[in-house]
Amino acid sequence: MRKTQRFRFQKIFPSPLKSSFTRPRPFKVYSFVPFSPLAMLDPTILTLGGIVLGIAIIERILERWGVIDLVDQFSKVMRFILPVTFYGALFYFFATFMF
């Protein structure tokens, strides 16, 4: 009868080195610009975006109804309002952003 050799599982498959993951850092790292995507949920920016989106939807509805003169007036006004609103909201966001 042959003698059976037994090997421990840890000897065959050595565990990965955990010391590299638990090694303390020599210094603490801080982010200079803390940014959270939830910061975009500012009520002022959401209100401005909702107003602009509502005007665009109204413009499309009027276009389907065939009121082209009113749609033309809306498009002339929106050419001015959209960039002003966008840059105003962008300025407001960075002015109230907590650094």
Side-chain angles (χ1 to χ4, degrees):
M1 185 179 207
R2 286 184 151 173
K3 187 173 180 183
T4 327
Q5 291 185 348
R6 295 186 181 186
F7 295 104
R8 295 187 60 149
F9 183 77
Q10 287 83 9
K11 288 183 179 180
I12 299 172
F13 298 106
S15 64
L17 296 175
K18 294 183 180 179
S19 64
S20 64
F21 294 115
T22 59
R23 178 176 46 165
R25 292 181 180 236
F27 57 90
K28 293 184 178 182
V29 178
Y30 295 101
S31 174
F32 291 107
V33 182
F35 181 74
S36 170
L38 297 177
M40 296 298 258
L41 296 177
D42 185 34
T44 306
I45 293 177
L46 289 177
T47 304
L48 289 173
I51 290 170
V52 170
L53 186 63
I55 291 173
I57 290 172
I58 289 171
E59 184 179 354
R60 292 296 171 202
I61 290 172
L62 290 173
E63 185 180 3
R64 284 188 182 183
W65 287 351
V67 190
I68 302 300
D69 294 336
L70 197 54
V71 172
D72 188 42
Q73 293 297 324
F74 264 109
S75 67
K76 286 179 183 176
V77 171
M78 292 301 285
R79 277 189 203 143
F80 175 74
I81 289 179
L82 281 176
V84 169
T85 306
F86 172 74
Y87 288 118
L90 193 66
F91 177 75
Y92 173 79
F93 176 72
F94 284 116
T96 60
F97 188 61
M98 303 279 256
F99 284 104

